[in-house]
Every structure is written in C-alpha cells, then in structure tokens.
Amino acid sequence: DIFIPIRLASTRFPEKGMRRISGKPIIKCLIERLQLAKNIRNIIVCTTNLESDNSLVKYLEQEKIICFRGNEKDILVRFLDAANKYDTDFIVSVDGDDIYTDPIYVDKIIDEYKNSKSDYVGSDGFPHGFVPVGIKVKALQKICKLKITNDTETGYRDFFTKTKLFNCTYLKPNKNFEFSKDIRLTLDYQEDFDL
C-alpha cells in the first residue's frame, strides 16, 4: 500500500496539501499521479487527529479517497496503526509534498522488495522528492518497540538507514545519467509552489 503522510498545519508552508494547481488540490494531483503505479493495492492518506486537518479529511471523504487519522508527532506510530488497520505488509511512503513522485519508481520499489526482501528500500542519486521509500511493516514494528522518542515527525527514514538494524537497499539512476545536486522536487516553501 502507498501511505501518504500529510498534515495541513505545516509551519513552513501552511495548508500546502490543499493549495491548488490549475484548480485542483495538490493532494489530488499527487494521488492521480500515484494511481498510475501498477503494483499497488491501496493509496492511504495518513493524516493526524488534529482539528486543523478536518478540512483535508472532509475533502478526501468527498473524493472517496482512503484516509487514516493518527498520531500527530509520531509518523512511525501513525504508519503502524494504519498498517494494522489495512493489513499492510509493505509500505511505499510518499510524502504529501512530493508531487513529482514517479509512479514507475513506486513499482520499482515494490519489485526490489519482492526480489530482495529488504526491510527498507530507498534511493541514491535522485533529486529529493522524486523517488519514494519502501518500508517492511515488520521492520516498522521493531522500530516502534525500540525507539525512545515520540516525535518522529521529521527524519523518520533515519530510524531505518542509520541504525544498522535493517537490511537496506537503494535504487540508483542509470549509470550514464547524473542529476544535478541542486534539483529539489518537493514543496517545502512558497517558492517551490511558485516554481
């Protein structure tokens, strides 16, 4: 399943998930893009229980998009609770501000997991916001038992990649292609939205 962590109370760029491009909310643009992936079962928007996310949830319900509400600060617990609810064994995590996520790489992440049985599938050498990550739910369960913080709002990927507890694999671009390190394909600031 694809999980999209998103909340509207962002301090850097408030309500970015509901900002409109050509009249369509960003979250809808992202979901339509992700629906082009061939190997997924569900797309689940994972937001918080905060009142500030009520308008997002209302919109998702109107559009008949699956939505899960959970822990505000702990994305890992939010993911685990959603995985338990939807009987998910492998999560493709696509941040709600990564509207350029390539559905081809969603499928490649899933293929890599099936072939390698890795606990975590990331990428190396791609622009930020272009390739999602894959997380085995059993690895997520392990992290949630071991971690000593309840704030995993940012940097949640580091729990898998920097602990040496898990088998991590990384997709890389074709050998003959190199992206500029200056390219960012994510929506963190107003300037990103303007671009």
Side-chain angles (χ1 to χ4, degrees):
D1 293 335
I2 293 175
F3 284 11
I4 304 174
I6 188 171
R7 60 190 180 86
L8 296 185
S10 166
T11 52
R12 290 180 297 193
F13 189 34
E15 300 197 6
K16 58 186 168 185
M18 293 302 290
R19 301 283 179 118
R20 293 179 178 264
I21 297 175
S22 298
K24 190 182 297 183
I26 283 169
I27 189 65
K28 181 74 169 173
C29 296
L30 175 60
I31 289 167
E32 287 178 352
R33 187 171 177 80
L34 294 174
Q35 286 170 334
L36 299 174
K38 295 178 174 60
N39 296 325
I40 58 164
R41 183 181 64 159
N42 293 312
I43 297 174
I44 301 163
V45 177
C46 295
T47 193
T48 78
N49 286 317
L50 293 175
E51 194 174 312
S52 56
D53 289 317
N54 287 353
S55 61
L56 171 66
V57 171
K58 184 178 178 186
Y59 173 77
L60 295 170
E61 288 170 349
Q62 287 171 350
E63 294 293 314
K64 302 197 177 1
I65 294 166
I66 301 171
C67 179
F68 178 84
R69 298 188 88 164
N71 194 293
E72 171 197 353
K73 292 278 188 190
D74 199 332
I75 285 181
L76 296 177
V77 166
R78 193 186 320 160
F79 276 2
L80 185 56
D81 291 344
N84 289 335
K85 178 172 182 175
Y86 293 100
D87 197 26
T88 304
D89 61 347
F90 186 72
I91 297 164
V92 178
S93 174
V94 177
D95 290 342
D97 49 12
D98 290 348
I99 63 169
Y100 296 107
T101 298
D102 193 323
I104 290 170
Y105 280 95
V106 170
D107 289 330
K108 287 187 178 193
I109 293 274
I110 294 167
D111 289 343
E112 179 62 29
Y113 165 68
K114 286 179 180 174
N115 294 330
S116 69
K117 294 299 178 195
S118 294
D119 298 307
Y120 177 93
V121 182
S123 65
D124 185 29
F126 292 96
H128 181 69
F130 186 67
V131 179
V133 300
I135 303 167
K136 187 195 270 184
V137 171
K138 284 187 178 171
L140 181 61
Q141 290 168 339
K142 185 174 184 177
I143 280 293
C144 285
K145 282 182 187 165
L146 293 174
K147 69 182 180 61
I148 56 173
T149 179
N150 293 323
D151 187 349
T152 61
E153 188 177 16
T154 58
Y156 68 91
R157 296 170 184 183
D158 292 347
F159 285 89
F160 301 96
T161 61
K162 296 194 175 170
T163 56
K164 300 193 169 134
L165 293 171
F166 303 108
N167 176 22
C168 300
T169 55
Y170 298 89
L171 302 181
K172 297 181 186 300
N174 290 339
K175 288 184 169 71
N176 60 351
F177 194 86
E178 194 172 316
F179 289 98
S180 165
K181 301 278 187 219
D182 298 330
I183 299 175
R184 287 177 64 258
L185 299 174
T186 188
L187 287 172
D188 285 331
Y189 304 101
Q190 179 68 44
E191 305 88 84
D192 300 326
F193 182 69
D194 295 342
L195 177 64

